Amino acid sequence: MDHLFFGYFAGVIALTAVLVVAFRNPVYSALSLLIMFFHVAGLYVTLHAEFLAAVQVIVYAGAILVLYLFVVMLLNLKTDDRYHSQWRAAAFVGGPLLIEFLVLLAGSLAAPPAAAPRVDIETGDNTLAIGETLFSTYLFPFEVASLILLVAMIGAIVLAKREVPETPAS
Amino acid sequence: MTELSLRLAVSLAQIAAVMGIVMLTVMILTLAERKVLGWMQDRMGPMEVGPYGILQPIADGLKLFFKEDIVPAGANKFMFSLAPILAMVPAMIGFAVIPFGPNETIQLFGMTIKPFVISDINIGVLYILAFASIGAYGIILGGWASNSKYSLLGGLRSAAQIISYELNVGLAIVGVLIMSGSLSLVKITDAQAGGFWHWYVFAFPAPQIFAFVVYVISAVAETNRVPFDLPEAESELVAGFFTEYSGMRFAFFFIAEYANMVLVSCVAAALFLGGWNAPYPGTILAHIGLESFAWIEGVAWFTVKVYGFLFLFFWLRATLPRLRYDQLMKFGWKVMLPIALANIVVTAIAMYIYNQFK
C-alpha cells in the first residue's frame, strides 16, 4: 500500500514538474506547479510528517505561488517571447545542479549517511518533535536561514523604494 | 473487507450529513442576510415567495439552475470552468475537522465512531488554514480566465487581500495554540470546558481578547465581506471577479463565499469561544439526570455561537461603508499585524511564567 502511494505521488510530481517548464502558457505552468506542491505534501503525509505537509501547502501553494500568479497576470507573458528558450541560463543553472547530484549520488553509494537524531514520529506529536529539534539541534542553521530571509526582504524594499520628492513642511 | 467498507459507509454518511447541514445553512443565510439587512434599513426584505418570503432561497436556487450558462468570447474555457470548482471545494473541505458537538464515541456495528467530527487529525487548525489559502486560486483564475478587465482587477485585488489577511488570521490563532499546546480542534475545544472563564478569549493567564478581535476582522476580510469587499466592489468593478459568470457557475462562487463565512465562524467559535461548551460548568441536561441527551445542549450552544458570528457579518454589512484600497492594506499590515505579533509575545511570556509557578 505504501509503495502504491509513493509511486503515485512520485509519478505525478515528476510529470507536473516537467509540465511546469513545458507549458507555453505561464498560468498553466503555475497550475501544474500547484498540483506538484500538493503531491509533495501528500508524500510528507505518507511519511507521517503532517505538520510539514500542512506547512508545505500553506507557504508554497497558499502564499508564494499566489504571488507568482499575480506577477504572471500583471506582466501578461503570454505574448512576450523574451522569457522563452533561455538555453544559456538553463545550462548555467542545470550544469552545476547535475554535477552536484552526481557527486551526492557517488557519495551516498560510498558511505552510509550519518545517523540523524531520530524522533519517534509514529507515537509522538510530530509538530512538537519538529519544534524541539529546530530549537535545539538545528538552532543555528534555523537562525541563519531567518537572517537570509531578512536580507532578501531588505533587498526587495530597497529595490521597490522610490525617492519621495521633497515637500515643504506644512 | 466488510469492516473497511462499513467504515467507509459510515464516513460517507457523516460527510453527507455535514455537507447537507452546510448547504442548508447557506440557504438559510441567503434569506437571513436579506431579511436582516431589510429590518436594519427599515424595509421588509423579500416577502413574495411563501409566507414572509421564507421560500425565497428555493426560488433563487431554481432561477440560478435554469439560467443560461454563458462563456464569454475570448475566455479560457478550461480555466473558466475550473475556477468555480477551485473556489467551492476548499470552502467545503475545511468542515472535515470541525467538532460540532461533544467529543464522545458511540459503538455501532462493533466500531467506535465519533459522531460529531468527521476526522480528528492532529493538525486540524493548519489543515483549515491550508485549504483556506487554496480558495484564493478560484478567485484569481476566475478573474483571469474571464478575459475582462474588471474581472482581472477584482481577482488581483482579492489575491493581495487574501494573502495580507491570511497572515493575520494565522498569527492570531498562534496565541490559542500556545495556550492549548495542540493543533487539533477537538483537543482545543475540550481544553475550554467548564465555564466561560475557561474560554480562550477570557482564559487565565493570557486572555486572547486582542487575538480574537484581530481574527474576526481578518476573517471578514478573508471572506471578502463588507467593509472589505473590494474584490467585488460594484461601484468600481461591476461585480469584480465573477462579473462574467452566470447560472450555476456563479452559484458556485456564491455558495463558496457563504460556506467560507460559516467555516470562519465555526473556527472562531471553536478556538476562542469554547466550541460546543456551555458558558457554565457542565450541562443543564446532565444536571437534571438526562446524561445521554447532554450532547443536544452542546450542539445547540455551538449553533448559537456560529449564528451569532454570522449575524455579526450581516450587522457589519448594514453598518459600515467600504474601505479604500490603500486603507485596507495599511490597516492589515500596520495595525493588525503588529497587534497579532505583540499578542504572541505577551502570551508566550505569560504562559512561560505561569508554567513556572504551576
Side-chain angles (χ1 to χ4, degrees), chain B residues 126-138:
Chain B
L126 290 178
Y127 172 87
I128 288 179
L129 286 181
F131 280 103
S133 61
I134 298 304
Y137 283 97

Side-chain angles (χ1 to χ4, degrees), chain A residues 71 111 127 145 161:
Chain A
V71 173
T127 313
K161 205 176 132 230

Side-chain angles (χ1 to χ4, degrees), chain A:
Chain A
M1 201 68 170
D2 275 356
H3 285 284
L4 201 71
F5 276 115
F6 176 78
Y8 166 70
F9 285 126
V12 174
I13 287 170
L15 181 73
T16 47
V18 170
L19 285 179
V20 171
V21 284
F23 273 128
R24 295 294 284 185
N25 186 338
V27 176
Y28 284 133
S29 295
L31 260 201
S32 52
L33 199 59
L34 173 69
I35 298 169
M36 198 197 87
F37 285 148
F38 258 95
H39 283 81
V40 172
L43 217 51
Y44 286 138
V45 171
T46 61
L47 293 170
H48 294 280
E50 291 95 356
F51 177 76
L52 270 187
V55 168
Q56 163 86 14
V57 173
I58 293 173
V59 173
Y60 285 96
I64 293 177
L65 193 57
V66 172
L67 280 178
Y68 274 10
L69 215 54
F70 204 95
V71 173
V72 161
M73 284 174 183
L74 281 179
L75 289 182
N76 201 12
L77 291 177
K78 206 165 30 168
T79 54
D80 200 339
D81 261 348
R82 243 186 323 168
Y83 300 102
H84 296 139
S85 306
Q86 295 265 17
W87 290 111
R88 239 177 303 171
F92 188 70
V93 178
L97 275 178
L98 187 69
I99 293 167
E100 205 171 286
F101 176 67
L102 288 175
V103 168
L104 277 176
L105 208 62
S108 72
L109 285 180
R118 293 189 72 87
V119 188
D120 193 6
I121 47 169
E122 297 274 350
T123 56
D125 186 347
N126 72 74
T127 313
L128 190 73
I130 287 175
E132 276 176 352
T133 327
L134 215 52
F135 282 102
S136 55
T137 321
Y138 298 107
L139 181 62
F140 186 65
F142 180 66
E143 293 297 331
V144 169
S146 66
L147 203 66
I148 291 172
L149 287 177
L150 183 69
V151 169
M153 221 154 74
I154 294 171
I157 292 170
V158 168
L159 283 177
K161 205 176 132 230
R162 260 176 305 181
E163 288 294 323
V164 182
E166 296 247 341
T167 48
S170 53

Side-chain angles (χ1 to χ4, degrees), chain B residues 96-351:
Chain B
V97 293
I98 302 279
F100 296 97
N103 182 27
E104 54 193 36
T105 52
I106 52 168
Q107 297 290 333
L108 198 66
F109 311 121
M111 289 185 304
T112 334
I113 298 164
K114 285 186 176 173
F116 294 115
V117 59
I118 295 178
S119 169
D120 174 19
I121 56 176
N122 57 4
I123 48 153
V125 177
L126 290 178
Y127 172 87
I128 288 179
L129 286 181
F131 280 103
S133 61
I134 298 304
Y137 283 97
I139 293 173
I140 304 171
L141 289 175
W144 176 80
S146 299
N147 192 29
S148 148
K149 297 237 172 8
Y150 293 122
S151 297
L152 182 63
L153 282 174
L156 290 178
R157 274 188 181 189
S158 138
Q161 182 175 331
I162 289 182
I163 290 178
S164 310
Y165 279 86
E166 197 177 69
L167 197 67
N168 299 332
V169 168
L171 289 175
I173 288 173
V174 170
V176 172
L177 300 183
I178 292 173
M179 291 184 70
S180 67
S182 172
L183 283 166
S184 154
L185 277 168
V186 174
K187 280 195 191 115
I188 291 173
T189 313
D190 281 348
Q192 301 176 71
F196 70 86
W197 54 92
H198 286 143
W199 296 356
Y200 283 136
V201 200
F202 310 115
F204 188 76
Q208 297 295 312
I209 189 93
F210 286 106
F212 180 61
V213 172
V214 170
Y215 177 83
V216 170
I217 294 174
S218 306
V220 174
E222 229 197 328
T223 46
N224 295 333
R225 296 284 304 181
V226 180
F228 302 101
D229 65 334
L230 288 136
E232 44 194 270
E234 55 277 317
S235 51
E236 305 160 26
L237 293 175
V238 190
F241 58 90
F242 52 56
T243 306
E244 305 290 342
Y245 280 89
S246 65
M248 276 321 275
R249 288 183 184 158
F250 168 75
F252 266 44
F253 277 124
F254 196 72
I255 294 169
E257 181 179 323
Y258 280 81
N260 267 323
M261 273 165 65
V262 181
L263 184 64
V264 295
S265 304
C266 285
V267 173
L271 288 179
F272 293 101
L273 294 182
W276 46 266
N277 289 303
Y280 39 82
T283 51
I284 292 174
L285 283 171
H287 287 315
I288 61 171
L290 295 167
E291 192 73 58
S292 54
F293 292 103
W295 60 270
I296 296 176
E297 212 175 319
V299 174
W301 274 112
F302 190 74
T303 315
V304 166
K305 284 166 191 170
V306 170
Y307 271 85
F309 273 108
L310 292 170
F311 180 75
L312 182 74
F313 276 101
F314 304 153
W315 195 0
L316 286 174
R317 175 162 176 186
T319 313
L320 295 172
R322 183 178 302 128
L323 267 75
R324 228 172 43 220
Y325 193 70
D326 59 321
Q327 289 172 334
L328 172 95
M329 282 295 156
K330 246 184 211 149
F331 187 64
W333 289 100
K334 293 190 177 167
V335 181
M336 295 274 114
L337 189 68
I339 293 175
L341 285 173
N343 177 65
I344 293 175
V345 174
V346 171
T347 309
I349 293 171
M351 279 311 283

